[in-house]
Amino acid sequence: MRSIQIAIDGPASSGKSTVAKIIAKNLGYTYLDTGAMYRCATYLALKNKLTKDQVPSLLEELETHPISFSKGDDGSQRVFLGGDDVTLAIRQNDVTNNVSWVSALPEVREELVAQQQRIAATGGIVMDGRDIGTVVLPDADLKIFLIASVEERALRRFKENQEKGIPSDLETLKEEIAARDFKDSNRKVSPLRAADDAITFDTTGVSIDGVVAFISEKANEILDK
Ligand code: DC
């Protein structure tokens, strides 16, 4: 059976990664969390106290500490920078609050997009991010753009943080999500926006199973053609 490319874009905490992981598993495809890659670049920038004026040093850090993914003992995805497991570190507040400026750097985007395209070339893929349908995989067979209200997304992130033991406050999360939406949507390079041929789906009040069912149906329609 032929394999397809599925691009899932949308703002922070719109449920992209949760559903993308499930769909990839069901289809036996690779799942690529591109947000984790921008978080890795941000982690390296903070660790090395680099500013936006030191892009060559950041690119060098990315080269000497390649980003890779593997499965942990419990089946969950682990993120590595060189030999270091940074799965939890890249979800901490300092990384979250700095990822917008790092992901707005054109040279960083160029490098990470090239890596993403190389991974996609290996076979069936479900990729989630902000610019997958518009820039990374413009020819993806299925493009989904997930949205949800700021309130619902803040609540989702609050619960996620609680599970991971990351301290957070709901009101602050709402402000941070709204601020990140604004920055992601208004940056010059590859802003967050739905591709013209993407299907927009509002997940407010919809269960994870409901979103998975919707996307799976669309994927099956393409695969059955
Ligand atoms: O999906 P996330 O919240 O983990 O993503 C973290 C940040 O990375 C997000 O605020 C914007 C950036 N990002 C991006 O610019 N392009 C992508 N394809 C994925 C994420």
Side-chain angles (χ1 to χ4, degrees), residues 34-35 38-39 91 99 103 109 129-131 180 184 187:
T34 63
Y38 289 96
R39 286 172 180 274
R91 303 284 155 196
V99 70
S103 60
R109 298 205 72 84
R130 304 292 189 287
D131 60 340
R180 205 138 62 90
D184 290 350
R187 67 173 177 230

Side-chain angles (χ1 to χ4, degrees), residues 38-89:
Y38 289 96
R39 286 172 180 274
C40 281
T42 307
Y43 174 86
L44 284 174
L46 294 177
K47 188 172 167 222
N48 294 286
K49 298 191 170 55
L50 299 173
T51 69
K52 62 178 173 31
D53 301 318
Q54 292 168 295
V55 175
S57 305
L58 179 52
L59 293 178
E60 227 175 271
E61 283 295 323
L62 274 168
E63 202 181 320
T64 47
H65 302 88
I67 302 169
S68 64
F69 297 88
S70 77
K71 266 218 175 85
D73 295 337
D74 59 354
S76 68
Q77 190 169 62
R78 312 296 305 176
V79 187
F80 288 84
L81 262 176
D84 296 336
D85 185 335
V86 293
T87 313
L88 283 181

Side-chain angles (χ1 to χ4, degrees), residues 55 59 101-112 188-189:
V55 175
L59 293 178
W101 72 260
V102 175
S103 60
L105 299 168
E107 298 88 342
V108 169
R109 298 205 72 84
E110 200 183 318
E111 172 55 30
L112 295 186
K188 278 202 200 85
V189 200

Side-chain angles (χ1 to χ4, degrees), residues 13-159:
S13 296
S14 53
K16 301 180 301 286
S17 60
T18 309
V19 298
K21 263 180 224 160
I22 298 173
I23 292 163
K25 191 164 176 234
N26 291 347
L27 290 169
Y29 287 6
T30 300
Y31 161 62
L32 186 63
D33 175 356
T34 63
M37 298 174 79
Y38 289 96
R39 286 172 180 274
C40 281
T42 307
Y43 174 86
L44 284 174
L46 294 177
K47 188 172 167 222
N48 294 286
K49 298 191 170 55
L50 299 173
T51 69
K52 62 178 173 31
D53 301 318
Q54 292 168 295
V55 175
S57 305
L58 179 52
L59 293 178
E60 227 175 271
E61 283 295 323
L62 274 168
E63 202 181 320
T64 47
H65 302 88
I67 302 169
S68 64
F69 297 88
S70 77
K71 266 218 175 85
D73 295 337
D74 59 354
S76 68
Q77 190 169 62
R78 312 296 305 176
V79 187
F80 288 84
L81 262 176
D84 296 336
D85 185 335
V86 293
T87 313
L88 283 181
I90 61 167
R91 303 284 155 196
Q92 299 299 322
N93 293 330
D94 55 344
V95 171
T96 303
N97 293 330
N98 282 278
V99 70
S100 289
W101 72 260
V102 175
S103 60
L105 299 168
E107 298 88 342
V108 169
R109 298 205 72 84
E110 200 183 318
E111 172 55 30
L112 295 186
V113 167
Q115 291 185 20
Q116 291 155 12
Q117 290 172 335
R118 280 200 294 275
I119 295 169
T122 60
I125 190 146
V126 183
M127 204 182 279
D128 78 34
R130 304 292 189 287
D131 60 340
I132 311 306
T134 50
V135 176
V136 184
L137 303 176
D139 298 324
D141 304 88
L142 177 59
K143 298 180 184 178
I144 302 286
F145 195 76
L146 295 181
I147 54 172
S149 70
V150 171
E151 286 72 23
E152 173 137 344
R153 288 186 283 137
L155 196 61
R156 287 178 191 166
R157 185 121 315 180
F158 182 71
K159 287 184 188 156

